[in-house]
């Protein structure tokens, strides 16, 4: 078995799983901060309920994201030691900034926010949440900086075969990072928005199903309540309809941001990694047409077996250069250029293992790049369309009673997750066979083949064992996260505010806490 392929599968599984936590944390945090801001400014308990319910899910996801993210650090040293040596001098700065500044900032103030309920002044408590959210936003930026250097190395010189950083500002403000970051951020906000839409739809549907809310002859909601079910009062309806409509509006705006930033990123990628974009379009031959549908034999990159069935004339040129006439080089024409610049065969060096002297295939797996690119765009658009439909269908104050629509709304939560994951897979696999892609206008020799990046002292058996072990652990963590989220979603607002079950005989305190017979609720109850 090939240790390189096993290591790539391991990295892909752990990274994609961790990446599911990242956009939800990035996207949900600002929305929770918005809800709490509205509560602090208005004193309306509806916003407090929104803050605590979505804040609870935000915390669950954040904690699972930290747990799964730690493995990434170990994985670099365990399976990718040669890669770590190559990029170490460059990655040290942004990763240190991420860990010592951004993540420390984020986790510290998140702790202040958790423990600060009922103990801090409202505005100070809100400021702690904002600082935690800002920390996560900066944390994401430093990670994108590191990844962007792998896509487009800058700010270095080659010393004894290794890149040594000479310009930290060039690394931090790499143009690849500057266009990739807003794309990732808007994609994450779309994830948070659809999370709100799907879950709020489910809660409103439950109120319809239980007969709490009905509609009048014109279809407008008649809000009811059921005193026998804790939290199912009239205010509960306001919580979910507000969350749903805020999520839908934010989802549409986020998709617009994704489209604009994606266009900028695509144009830059045509300059920096033309082979990746040619593969993403199954553009075997030089031209200007955009492929709407191409087919080919699975598992082969042979352009003779790729046939374009539907295409839009000039659109590929427009996407890359904003005109309809500029021809873009296809795979067949790019391969000789790559061979001339970077060689036809891997070096005869022990670091390449069994692949030493093997012929280099510069064409990434076209099925993955082609469909990854389209799934990213398609599912992102689907999320925006679902948001628009949700806004229209809830214009009279509630959701339809259809169970199938409720299920579609729940499934809609996964649309931006799929779009984000497909985009990440496309970005990472599209630069193969390089783990550090060459910069066409950068320092000569600053690139690294994936075949040279794995740890030479780790056997395929050890690599396979760690792959299976990590997959099982991550699978268990996924079960835990899904069960926790499902539990608290089904519980509704009361699951995050158990004091609501006693609100008839207790007075709500200034900060939302409740004194039951002289015993103050445990502040950690919010984080349990």
């Amino acid at each position: 078995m090939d240790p390189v392929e096993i290591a790539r599968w391991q990295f892909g599984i752990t990274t994609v799983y961790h990446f599911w936590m990242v956009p939800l944390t990035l996207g949900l945090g600002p929305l929770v901060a918005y809800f709490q801001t509205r509560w602090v400014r208005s004193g309306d308990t509806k916003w407090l309920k929104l803050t605590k319910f979505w804040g609870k899910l935000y915390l669950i996801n954040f904690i699972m994201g930290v747990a799964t993210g730690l493995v990434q650090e170990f994985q670099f040293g365990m399976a990718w030691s040669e890669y770590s040596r190559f990029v170490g001098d460059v990655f040290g700065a942004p990763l240190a900034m991420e860990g010592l500044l951004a993540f420390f900032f984020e986790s510290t103030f998140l702790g202040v926010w958790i423990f600060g309920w009922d103990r801090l002044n409202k505005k100070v408590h809100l400021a702690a949440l904002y600082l935690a959210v800002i920390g996560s936003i900066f944390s994401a930026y430093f990670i994108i900086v590191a990844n962007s250097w792998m896509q487009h190395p800058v700010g270095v010189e080659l010393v004894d075969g290794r890149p040594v950083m000479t310009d930290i500002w060039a690394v931090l403000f790499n143009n690849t990072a500057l266009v990739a970051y807003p794309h990732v951020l808007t994609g994450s906000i779309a994830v948070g928005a659809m999370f709100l839409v799907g879950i709020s739809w489910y809660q409103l549907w439950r109120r319809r199903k239980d007969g709490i809310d009905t509609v009048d002859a014109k279809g407008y909601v008649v809000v009811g309540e059921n005193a026998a079910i804790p939290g199912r009062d009239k205010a509960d309806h306001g919580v979910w309809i507000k969350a749903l409509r805020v999520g839908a509006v934010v989802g549409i705006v986020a998709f617009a941001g994704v489209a604009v930033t994606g266009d900028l990123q695509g144009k830059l990628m045509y300059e920096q990694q033309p082979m990746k974009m040619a593969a993403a379009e199954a553009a075997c031959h030089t031209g200007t047409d955009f492929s709407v549908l191409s087919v080919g034999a699975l598992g082969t990159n042979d352009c003779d077996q790729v046939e374009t069935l539907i295409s839009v004339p000039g659109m590929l040129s427009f996407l890359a250069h904003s005109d309809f006439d500029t021809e873009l080089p296809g795979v067949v024409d790019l391969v000789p250029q790559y061979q001339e610049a970077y060689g036809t065969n891997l070096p005869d060096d022990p670091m390449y293992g069994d692949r030493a002297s093997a012929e280099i295939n510069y064409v990434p797996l076209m099925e993955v790049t082609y469909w990854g690119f389209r799934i990213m765009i398609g599912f992102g658009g689907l999320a925006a369309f679902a948001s628009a439909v949700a806004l229209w269908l809830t214009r009279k104050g509630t959701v339809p009673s259809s169970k199938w629509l409720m299920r579609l709304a729940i499934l809609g939560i996964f649309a931006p997750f799929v779009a984000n994951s497909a985009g990440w897979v496309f970005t990472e696999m599209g630069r193969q066979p390089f783990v550090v892609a060459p910069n066409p206008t950068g320092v000569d020799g600053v690139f690294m083949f994936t075949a040279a990046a794995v740890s030479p002292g780790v056997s395929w058996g050890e690599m396979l064992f760690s792959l299976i072990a990590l997959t099982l652990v991550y699978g268990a963590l996924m079960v835990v996260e899904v069960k926790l989220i499902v539990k608290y979603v089904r519980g509704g607002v009361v699951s995050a505010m158990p004091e609501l079950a006693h609100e008839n005989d207790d007075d709500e305190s200034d900060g939302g806490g409740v004194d039951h017979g002289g015993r103050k609720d445990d502040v950690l109850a919010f984080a349990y």
Side-chain angles (χ1 to χ4, degrees):
M1 299 182 74
D2 188 345
V4 176
E5 292 302 322
I6 300 173
R8 288 181 65 190
W9 273 104
Q10 177 179 289
F11 188 82
I13 290 171
T14 56
T15 303
V16 168
Y17 181 74
H18 172 63
F19 188 64
W20 288 340
M21 315 295 163
V22 174
L24 185 55
T25 298
L26 283 173
L28 198 53
L31 291 167
V32 175
Y34 168 74
F35 293 147
Q36 187 166 347
T37 302
R38 295 295 301 269
W39 173 58
V40 170
R41 295 184 63 179
S42 69
D44 186 339
T45 54
K46 172 181 64 188
W47 298 108
L48 173 64
K49 292 175 181 177
L50 283 163
T51 304
K52 287 214 167 184
F53 176 78
W54 297 108
K56 187 97 173 185
L57 302 185
Y58 172 65
L59 286 181
I60 293 171
N61 189 70
F62 172 81
I63 293 166
M64 296 301 285
V66 172
T68 55
L70 290 174
V71 175
Q72 308 303 316
E73 308 285 343
F74 292 110
Q75 191 175 214
F76 287 144
M78 181 177 63
W80 301 96
S81 61
E82 291 298 328
Y83 160 82
S84 299
R85 290 190 184 93
F86 187 77
V87 303
D89 188 76
V90 181
F91 273 30
L95 292 186
M97 291 178 189
E98 193 274 335
L100 298 176
L101 294 177
F103 180 68
F104 180 79
F105 204 68
E106 176 187 15
S107 53
T108 298
F109 284 102
L110 196 58
V112 172
W113 185 63
I114 293 170
F115 288 95
W117 284 105
D118 304 332
R119 285 165 171 74
L120 294 176
N121 173 278
K122 279 184 179 180
K123 292 182 180 178
V124 174
H125 186 238
L126 175 62
L129 176 59
Y130 269 101
L131 290 171
V133 171
I134 291 170
S136 66
I137 290 173
F138 274 103
S139 177
Y141 182 72
F142 290 125
I143 296 298
I144 292 295
V145 164
N147 180 268
S148 296
W149 191 86
M150 295 159 62
Q151 310 285 344
H152 183 240
V154 294
V156 295
E157 64 178 11
L158 205 59
V159 178
D160 297 330
R162 288 185 55 207
V164 175
M165 187 162 59
T166 56
D167 187 349
I168 179 63
W169 299 111
V171 174
L172 288 177
F173 295 102
N174 187 345
N175 59 1
T176 309
L178 294 178
V179 297
Y181 180 64
H183 192 57
V184 170
L185 204 56
T186 49
S188 300
I189 292 172
V191 169
M194 284 306 293
F195 198 63
L196 261 64
V197 172
I199 292 174
S200 301
W201 188 293
Y202 167 73
Q203 293 290 352
L204 288 168
W205 175 83
R206 281 182 64 190
R207 291 179 61 90
R208 293 288 309 273
K209 174 177 171 290
D210 294 339
I212 299 173
D213 295 337
T214 56
V215 295
D216 62 18
K218 295 183 178 180
Y220 285 93
V221 66
V222 178
V223 179
E225 61 184 351
N226 186 340
I229 306 176
R232 288 299 187 187
D233 52 16
K234 290 186 177 180
D236 183 62
H237 168 271
V239 168
W240 301 120
I241 193 66
K242 181 60 72 176
L244 189 152
R245 294 185 69 81
V246 167
V249 170
V250 171
I252 294 170
V253 173
F255 179 73
V258 168
V260 171
T261 56
D263 179 63
L264 295 174
Q265 192 175 12
K267 285 178 168 55
L268 192 62
M269 208 175 288
Y270 275 110
E271 298 174 10
Q272 297 176 349
Q273 297 183 51
M275 183 65 85
K276 176 191 287 187
M277 295 309 297
E281 294 300 334
C284 285
H285 304 285
T286 298
T288 62
D289 296 353
F290 175 83
S291 165
V292 176
L293 179 62
S294 295
V295 294
L298 289 174
T300 178
N301 282 355
D302 187 352
C303 277
D304 292 336
Q305 299 187 45
V306 175
E307 181 180 0
T308 300
L309 301 179
I310 306 172
S311 64
V312 179
M315 183 55 70
L316 185 60
S317 175
F318 181 78
L319 293 175
H321 296 289
S322 300
D323 63 52
F324 295 96
D325 305 316
T326 304
E327 291 192 330
L328 283 93
V331 170
V332 171
D333 297 310
L334 285 170
V335 167
Q337 296 177 26
Y338 273 70
Q339 289 177 333
E340 182 179 358
Y342 312 114
T344 57
N345 294 75
L346 292 172
D348 185 14
D349 190 306
M351 71 186 301
Y352 290 91
D354 293 338
R355 298 190 181 208
S357 302
E359 185 177 353
I360 303 170
N361 180 5
Y362 286 105
V363 185
L365 202 56
M366 278 200 279
E367 290 99 330
V368 174
T369 53
Y370 183 84
W371 289 110
F373 192 56
R374 279 149 186 77
I375 290 172
M376 173 185 67
I377 297 171
F379 276 81
L382 184 63
F385 175 73
S387 296
V389 170
L391 274 179
W392 171 256
L393 292 179
T394 59
R395 67 191 185 283
K396 294 182 179 178
T398 189
V399 300
S401 58
S402 167
K403 190 173 185 178
W404 284 105
L405 277 179
M406 181 274 292
R407 288 174 173 170
L408 282 176
I410 295 293
L411 287 176
I413 294 174
F414 299 101
F417 278 105
V418 173
N420 275 271
S421 301
W424 196 251
V425 169
F426 159 67
T427 301
E428 297 307 288
M429 290 192 67
R431 70 165 181 268
Q432 297 301 321
F434 300 103
V435 66
V436 175
N439 178 350
T441 58
V443 182
D444 290 339
V446 181
F447 61 85
M448 187 179 206
F449 290 110
T450 305
V454 295
S455 303
V458 181
S459 67
W460 68 264
E462 293 168 328
M463 203 80 79
L464 182 62
F465 175 80
S466 63
L467 166 64
I468 295 172
L470 289 175
T471 302
L472 291 175
V473 170
Y474 273 43
L477 290 174
M478 178 182 289
V479 171
V480 171
E481 165 140 15
V482 170
K483 288 190 71 170
L484 282 173
I485 288 181
V486 169
K487 173 186 173 183
Y488 287 107
V489 166
R490 284 181 172 168
V493 174
V494 174
S495 66
M497 300 178 69
E499 63 270 24
L500 291 178
H502 309 281
E503 67 178 358
N504 291 334
D505 49 47
D506 287 313
D507 293 325
E508 196 167 14
S509 73
D510 189 47
V514 175
D515 189 338
H516 299 296
R519 178 182 59 82
K520 197 73 174 177
D521 280 342
D522 183 355
V523 65
L524 277 178
F526 178 66
Y528 286 161

